[in-house]
Amino acid sequence: MSQNAAPSSDVILERLTKLHPKLIDLSLDRTWRLLGALGNPERALPPVFHVAGTNGKGSVSAYLRTALEAGGYAVHSYTSPHLVRFHERIRLAGKQGSAPIPEERLAALLDECEKANADAPITFFEITTAAALLAFSREPADALILEVGMGGRLDTTNVVEKPAACIITPIGLDHQAFLGDTIELIANEKAGILKRGVPAVIGPQTDEARIAIEMAAERAGAPLFIHGQDFSAYEEAGSLIYQDEDGLLDLPLPRLPGRHQIDNAGIAICALRKTGILPLEHDAIAHGMTDIEWPARLQRLTRGPLLSRLPQGAELWLDGGHNPAAGRAISEAMADLAQHDPEGEARPLILISGMLDTKDATGFFAPFRGLASHIETLVIPGAPASVSAEALASAAADAGLDAHPAASLDEALERTSLAAGRATPRILICGSLYLAGHILAENS
């Protein structure tokens, strides 16, 4: 880099990781301080769809964005974590739809936020979220889809005074060290995004989570629209049927596979209908179902160098889900795929998995018992918090699976042929978004 060249975003991001001794330290004080120094960009945002929950946040956000863009609206969005490059987190509206923020603009925003922060303690997520809000405040758009990072009440994104809609996707056990060790405690934290008078769309929940959300909504004065009570979405005769008090929609099935995507699509449709500020025709909502792209969510990889390492005709799937509820949803989708295999051509399901050491690996693997014939476990490359391949294989064995620790991804892929025998396998790489990002980079 020349003496006068501006630093790249990667260089600045690396510096920002060192501004706080903890990766996660839930609080809004540091965020409010920095936003004040930046001129309070959170007060100059387009209408916000604020999305919290344990599973499905990214998919719901993608349905919202795709439908709104199909309706001709300009849409910003903020999601996390990224898969391959940080730029994916910040999508800016454009004439041809939204796209990840350009490198030059990201580097300039990060530099501005770093200077405004003046070396004060702040977490990586806090300062990068501030940079995203600054970007969104300066670029015109009709809507902003803002995904919560963790929790809700103390999440850095919870600085918008009055969103257009608040959304809570299904809640499960995850991040217990920060959010609480029961569903009720976690639900209460997630419900901290609810605001007085703002429509709150609630996805499918356990009774414990739903009751906690209802109590939080009553305290906040937020009108609730609850899945199964105020709206429903289901598959019928090859279509997605959505219904609420405003009527019924007959739509194409979502492009993203899995029964859980019916629920995610329904959550997004309800939020779009209940805000009322950005009207959409039926065709735009339909395009939201068919045009959606959301990598590493039951994504089938159909090209790339990884396929050349597999047996002829093998299927390769990728999903970043990493908690017990995600394991159930993914296993159901894999079981549905197996049911559609031609008679006599059943494919053995083989998992390749790496997970972070903060996750409930046995709980994630348990739904695959009796479905997956074998699992290869590995360390996630470049992830310091990855559980060892041996420990992960032990967790899979505890869940009732035949497991083997692999020294590398190459070894795991090579062993799929051995595990499948003469059959043609269906291979699912799963357990972590960090692993999914590594796979996408390797396969590009």
Side-chain angles (χ1 to χ4, degrees), residues 6 47 52 62 78 89 94 114 141 155 160 195 226 267 283 305 324 342 365 385:
Y78 183 62
R89 300 186 183 205
E114 185 180 27
D155 187 80
V160 180
K195 304 292 189 298
I226 299 175
I267 294 167
D283 286 351
F365 290 133

Side-chain angles (χ1 to χ4, degrees), residues 131-164:
L133 296 177
L134 191 60
F136 299 143
S137 72
R138 291 174 175 175
E139 301 285 339
D142 300 305
L144 164 60
I145 300 159
L146 190 62
E147 182 188 316
V148 168
M150 182 187 294
R153 181 176 63 93
L154 296 176
D155 187 80
T156 307
T157 63
N158 199 25
V159 293
V160 180
E161 183 177 356
K162 198 171 181 66

Side-chain angles (χ1 to χ4, degrees), residues 87-138:
H87 307 61
E88 302 166 24
R89 300 186 183 205
I90 304 171
R91 294 182 65 97
L92 298 178
K95 293 181 180 179
Q96 304 300 320
S98 61
I101 187 170
E103 163 63 20
E104 182 178 348
R105 197 173 306 178
L106 175 60
L109 285 162
L110 294 173
D111 182 63
E112 184 177 352
C113 289
E114 185 180 27
K115 289 174 179 175
N117 187 63
D119 291 325
I122 194 166
T123 69
F124 179 83
F125 187 73
E126 288 165 351
I127 194 168
T128 54
T129 300
L133 296 177
L134 191 60
F136 299 143
S137 72
R138 291 174 175 175

Side-chain angles (χ1 to χ4, degrees), residues 314-339:
E315 290 183 8
L316 183 60
W317 293 77
L318 180 65
D319 195 282
H322 49 255
N323 54 50
R328 289 192 295 273
I330 299 165
S331 66
E332 286 179 355
M334 290 291 106
D336 288 343
L337 281 175
Q339 286 184 353

